[in-house]
Amino acid sequence: MSKLYIVGTPIGNLGDITFRALETFRTADVIACEDTRHTLQLLTHFEIRKPLISCRSQNETVASQKIIKLLDDGQTVAYASDAGTPGISDPGAVLAEYARQAGHEVVPIPGPSAFATLVSVAGAGGKTLIFEGFLSPKPGRRRSRLRELLADGSAVVVYESPFRIVKLLQDIADIDTDRRIVIGRELTKLHEEIIEGTAEEVRNNFSARDSIKGEFAVFISGSKKTQLSEKSSDN
């Protein structure tokens, strides 16, 4: 049976692409991707030319079936989302499941993710870390889910857009003023920022700006009670 490669790609800095990712793209028969225009720019930069097929969240089920047909016909397919590792708040999980169910080998080609990039510099400390991805854009649902996450006491990582980042920080401050926040904006890109403080301090930082641009990864520390409990259990 043919292989489906799930390929991690840079979240901003093209220098972060791996040798394995480039070799996989060069040897694949077809490259499936979240946005053909975005992936075409990446491939063109590295002088790679391959047939492209769209497989985004809006058409992932239908597109996956087409890709399975290619695999059934003996073609090797590499899949890439717009940035980072597919399946982590990006499409790719449905395709991987369908391919495995169809009897094809699904091979991971590890690469960057905003989640891992932020955690690596956040100083997480605790044993448990919850990755939530994007919260609901609806205020009531967002606050309700935040209360559930913060009540658990573990550290949490979420993603947010520039349009709702101030509202998210305000919600966190309203629920728990003691949590330490580390925000990564435009990670690995030219205007990368990593900002630390309480939710209120970081909210004030962004509220004072004339405009807010870029994508955000937000680390919310675990509660002090949970951190102390985990440290005592190690002794």
Side-chain angles (χ1 to χ4, degrees):
M1 303 295 282
S2 299
K3 294 181 180 180
L4 169 67
Y5 293 92
I6 303 297
V7 185
T9 55
I11 60 176
N13 191 320
L14 294 183
D16 291 334
I17 199 161
T18 68
F19 289 117
R20 283 189 71 200
L22 291 176
E23 184 62 21
T24 300
F25 286 145
R26 290 185 178 115
T27 57
D29 297 307
V30 177
I31 296 175
C33 49
E34 182 178 1
D35 187 325
T36 55
R37 295 165 300 179
H38 185 95
T39 300
L40 180 60
Q41 291 178 347
L42 175 68
L43 297 175
T44 299
H45 179 82
F46 292 104
E47 300 181 340
I48 299 172
R49 293 180 176 85
K50 292 287 178 176
L52 300 178
I53 181 171
S54 170
C55 182
R56 58 191 190 278
S57 57
Q58 294 87 346
N59 74 342
E60 190 170 2
T61 298
V62 174
S64 293
Q65 294 170 349
K66 295 179 181 178
I67 294 168
I68 298 306
K69 180 63 168 58
L70 294 174
L71 294 168
D72 289 342
D73 290 342
Q75 298 195 61
T76 297
V77 180
Y79 180 76
S81 56
D82 284 351
T85 301
I88 304 179
S89 285
D90 276 339
V94 172
L95 174 59
E97 180 183 7
Y98 280 18
R100 189 171 288 107
Q101 289 177 349
H104 298 287
E105 185 177 357
V106 181
V107 181
I109 306 297
S113 75
F115 163 70
T117 301
L118 180 62
V119 171
S120 72
V121 297
K127 292 180 179 179
T128 305
L129 177 64
I130 299 172
F131 174 66
E132 182 70 10
F134 285 97
L135 294 164
S136 173
K138 297 183 178 180
R141 291 185 180 179
R142 182 179 64 246
R143 287 192 289 266
S144 177
R145 182 56 181 153
L146 271 173
R147 289 190 187 96
E148 293 175 351
L149 291 168
L150 297 184
D152 178 87
S154 301
V156 181
V157 173
V158 298
Y159 291 161
E160 193 50 273
S161 75
F163 311 107
R164 291 188 296 272
I165 186 63
V166 172
K167 295 177 181 178
L168 171 67
L169 292 167
Q170 182 62 61
D171 289 341
I172 298 170
D174 289 342
I175 296 168
D176 190 336
T177 58
D178 293 331
R179 296 296 184 98
R180 170 174 159 265
I181 305 294
V182 181
I183 280 188
R185 185 185 75 87
E186 293 288 85
L187 288 170
T188 80
K189 299 178 183 178
L190 180 62
H191 300 292
E192 174 184 85
E193 279 189 292
I194 298 175
I195 301 172
E196 178 181 0
T198 66
E200 184 175 4
E201 289 170 343
V202 181
R203 181 209 61 195
N204 291 342
N205 181 312
F206 285 105
S207 295
R209 301 187 183 195
D210 293 332
S211 65
I212 303 174
K213 298 179 180 179
E215 296 298 322
F216 292 80
V218 182
F219 172 86
I220 308 168
S221 72
S223 67
K224 293 180 180 178
K225 181 178 179 181
T226 300
Q227 291 173 17
L228 289 172
S229 175
E230 290 180 344
K231 287 180 181 179
S232 64
S233 67
D234 288 336
N235 296 331

